[in-house]
Amino acid sequence: MLVSNRSFQHVFAQPAFQAMEAKYNVLYAILTGEDALSIHTETGDILLGQTPGYFAWLYIQPELHANRKEELLNALVKYPYSSRLPGVTGDPELIRDFVERYASAYDVTPVVRMELQAYHCPKVIEQEGVRGRMRPAAPGDEQTIARFIVGLNQEAMNQTVKLEDVLERVQVLLPAGHISVWEVDGQVVSLASAAHRSPRHARINMVYTDPAHRGQRYAGALVGGLCRSLLQEGLTPMLYADANYASSNKAYQRVGFTSCGVVTEYRFDAKDDH
């Protein structure tokens, strides 16, 4: 029934999964980790991936027969996890039954932490009349990039991170060449990254513009340029946006991103926390 091993590639090869793989792109990144938990079936109709300590991502084949789904969800809830899942992310219509069953079995309260809109960009809409230029991040940009990432964490996730900790991470990421910036008159004003690539997609993240330079379409121009480069590599750009932030969603749509559906993050809280 359920197996837990590194032989999960057959799930990615299923046409049903490939029809949703932009939405589930994070699963590729999770399962590259050597310590990642992978629970799946030999028939490829379910896949749970988790980096230890983080939210799991759960894919369930959309056209799964009701009896088969019932059997698999019960087995997934009863699976001997090494520790309680802190939460789970996936298509809300597909994973809602698992969320409710897991919450009941472990006496926890499921709370929606975030709704993410998944997008892909098969064709870029040109951003004309934007000052500046796109370029790869280079030595000397580390402090600015670290400051932007601190701001991104605070604004997007309400998380406070230390500049010195982020700076260490940036110094590791910079040589890989996955970070791009938008520069105006010699000043870096916007940031974006495309660090993770799967067989058919590249995921853009860390999109941020200095608050003092917003409203000038710099992020749109940067993301558009990054998308063009990725498309030339033969990869379709994709990203996730907080579904509750209309302005950022509209900005991505102006670049050429179209919806691939919504994924929901459910956090499992102990009942005495409520």
Side-chain angles (χ1 to χ4, degrees):
M1 190 186 296
L2 294 181
V3 292
S4 179
N5 57 37
R6 304 296 296 172
S7 301
F8 49 78
Q9 295 295 335
H10 64 290
V11 182
F12 294 155
Q14 295 283 337
F17 180 85
Q18 290 186 9
M20 305 177 70
E21 72 174 355
K23 182 191 297 188
Y24 274 95
N25 185 267
V26 167
L27 267 175
Y28 283 98
I30 291 172
L31 294 174
T32 58
E34 294 183 1
D35 58 349
L37 171 66
S38 166
I39 305 172
H40 53 89
T41 59
E42 296 292 351
T43 51
D45 42 21
I46 196 168
L47 174 62
L48 181 144
Q50 184 203 17
T51 301
Y54 291 87
F55 281 30
W57 275 67
L58 175 60
Y59 162 76
I60 302 171
Q61 191 178 101
E63 303 302 324
L64 203 58
H65 189 277
N67 291 341
R68 173 68 169 165
K69 183 176 181 180
E70 176 90 7
E71 176 188 17
L72 291 176
L73 289 182
N74 286 335
L76 198 58
V77 168
K78 295 175 182 177
Y79 183 85
Y81 300 95
S82 60
S83 60
R84 180 170 65 82
L85 295 177
V88 63
T89 303
D91 183 314
E93 298 301 319
L94 298 179
I95 72 170
R96 187 173 291 118
D97 285 348
F98 172 77
V99 169
E100 293 173 355
R101 292 170 192 233
Y102 188 92
S104 176
Y106 288 87
D107 198 30
V108 293
T109 300
V111 178
V112 174
R113 185 173 77 162
M114 185 179 293
E115 290 186 338
L116 298 170
Q117 179 69 58
Y119 287 103
H120 70 165
C121 183
K123 184 178 181 180
V124 179
I125 298 173
E126 295 299 327
Q127 306 296 296
E128 298 179 355
V130 182
R131 294 178 60 236
R133 67 183 183 105
M134 170 182 161
R135 65 167 174 81
D141 294 330
E142 294 92 344
Q143 285 285 345
T144 300
I145 292 170
R147 179 169 55 83
F148 285 3
I149 294 173
V150 169
L152 177 63
N153 276 269
Q154 185 64 53
E155 293 179 24
M157 293 172 283
N158 198 28
Q159 292 180 351
T160 301
V161 293
K162 294 181 179 179
L163 181 65
E164 54 269 28
D165 293 340
V166 176
L167 187 57
E168 290 182 8
R169 179 184 166 204
V170 170
Q171 289 167 340
V172 171
L173 291 174
L174 202 63
H178 297 314
I179 300 176
S180 298
V181 298
W182 192 263
E183 184 181 75
V184 179
D185 297 332
Q187 181 180 1
V188 172
V189 297
S190 197
L191 164 75
S193 173
H196 181 257
R197 285 155 167 77
S198 59
R200 284 164 289 276
H201 294 85
R203 177 161 48 90
I204 294 174
N205 62 358
M206 292 200 311
V207 180
Y208 186 83
T209 299
D210 189 328
H213 296 277
R214 291 178 183 172
Q216 307 298 318
R217 297 184 292 143
Y218 295 143
L222 174 57
V223 170
L226 194 52
C227 286
R228 281 192 297 275
S229 297
L230 294 170
L231 288 166
Q232 289 170 1
E233 292 181 33
L235 297 171
T236 300
M238 65 78 54
L239 53 77
Y240 299 101
D242 188 329
N244 293 316
Y245 280 82
S247 59
S248 60
N249 282 261
K250 288 179 181 177
Y252 293 133
Q253 291 164 11
R254 284 194 294 267
V255 173
F257 282 91
T258 58
S259 173
C260 298
V262 173
V263 293
T264 301
E265 294 183 353
Y266 292 94
R267 187 181 70 234
F268 295 130
D269 288 353
K271 287 193 173 178
D272 55 11
D273 291 341
H274 292 267

